[in-house]
Amino acid sequence: MSKNVLVISTSLRGGSNSDRMAQEFARGAREAGNQVEEISLKGKDIRYCIGCLSCIKTQTCVLKDDAGDIRDKMQGADVIAFATPVYYYEMCGQMKTLLDRMNPLYTAEYAFRDIYMLTCAAEDEPYVPDRAVSGLEGWIECFERARLAGTVFAGGVDGPKTIEGHKALAEAFEMGRQV
């Protein structure tokens, strides 16, 4: 059965390694026959949550920026994959800001069940993505029908496009094929 898969790349750097992981995940999901949409946060206007909580009642944020369109796409997706660089052992700030702005989904009917996380970092020890993954798990915890379905980490990639040939690209592709 075909699934609606949304892949969100959160890096703002051109030619980023996490973008490449997102592309491979998307390619795998497409090859498996799924409907796939890719979104990059590059060039998007996503403001900080102001904590007014009106979105809990209205399921709409009072801030009018690109987060609303992304929220609609996330709400309708069966599968969401986030790709992020790991900065200071945590997800990038743009990803955290986006997750904070998804508060309107908390009281909404949402389709997503499986959430994936693709991470890259200059450091290559296996524990490097743990805090980033934990941060996403905290967000997922608020959605009782959702689960963290898988993660892929590419360590030892620091400059743009240094991920080429890394085994994590094949892992991201295969993970996408399995959604």
Side-chain angles (χ1 to χ4, degrees):
M1 182 170 101
S2 178
K3 294 181 182 176
N4 180 9
V5 179
L6 181 64
V7 181
I8 302 173
S9 184
T10 65
S11 176
L12 301 182
R13 178 166 62 181
S16 81
N17 297 310
S18 56
D19 279 354
R20 281 292 294 127
M21 288 184 74
Q23 291 162 4
E24 286 303 301
F25 184 95
R27 187 170 71 87
R30 273 191 198 93
E31 277 195 18
N34 297 292
Q35 296 294 105
V36 180
E37 181 173 1
E38 297 176 72
I39 296 175
S40 173
L41 296 189
K42 286 184 204 77
K44 299 279 193 253
D45 175 24
I46 301 174
R47 294 181 227 146
Y48 298 115
C49 176
I50 59 173
C52 69
L53 298 180
S54 67
C55 62
I56 297 297
K57 295 178 191 139
T58 66
Q59 295 176 346
T60 303
C61 184
V62 299
L63 300 175
K64 301 304 175 209
D65 59 10
D66 294 322
D69 289 338
I70 296 171
R71 179 204 63 236
D72 292 345
K73 291 172 192 240
M74 286 176 66
Q75 185 173 356
D78 300 310
V79 174
I80 302 171
F82 292 98
T84 182
V86 173
Y87 298 144
Y88 298 103
Y89 300 94
E90 185 55 90
M91 71 180 76
C92 69
Q94 327 42 285
M95 181 171 163
K96 176 63 171 120
T97 298
L98 178 68
L99 292 177
D100 288 348
R101 290 293 305 288
M102 294 302 107
N103 206 35
L105 292 173
Y106 182 70
T107 56
E109 283 300 315
Y110 56 89
F112 56 87
R113 299 297 182 263
D114 290 340
I115 309 292
Y116 294 87
M117 188 170 201
L118 313 167
T119 57
C120 297
E123 298 289 329
D124 61 359
E125 290 82 7
Y127 64 84
V128 169
D130 290 355
R131 291 182 192 141
V133 171
S134 178
L136 180 60
E137 286 175 321
W139 182 81
I140 294 168
E141 190 75 23
C142 297
F143 299 94
E144 63 186 37
R145 295 184 313 268
R147 70 184 181 110
L148 181 63
T151 66
V152 176
F153 171 59
V157 295
D158 52 0
K161 301 179 183 177
T162 56
I163 196 169
E164 295 310 320
H166 197 289
K167 69 179 182 154
L169 290 177
E171 292 171 9
F173 173 80
E174 191 54 38
M175 188 175 285
R177 284 182 38 84
Q178 299 304 314
V179 300

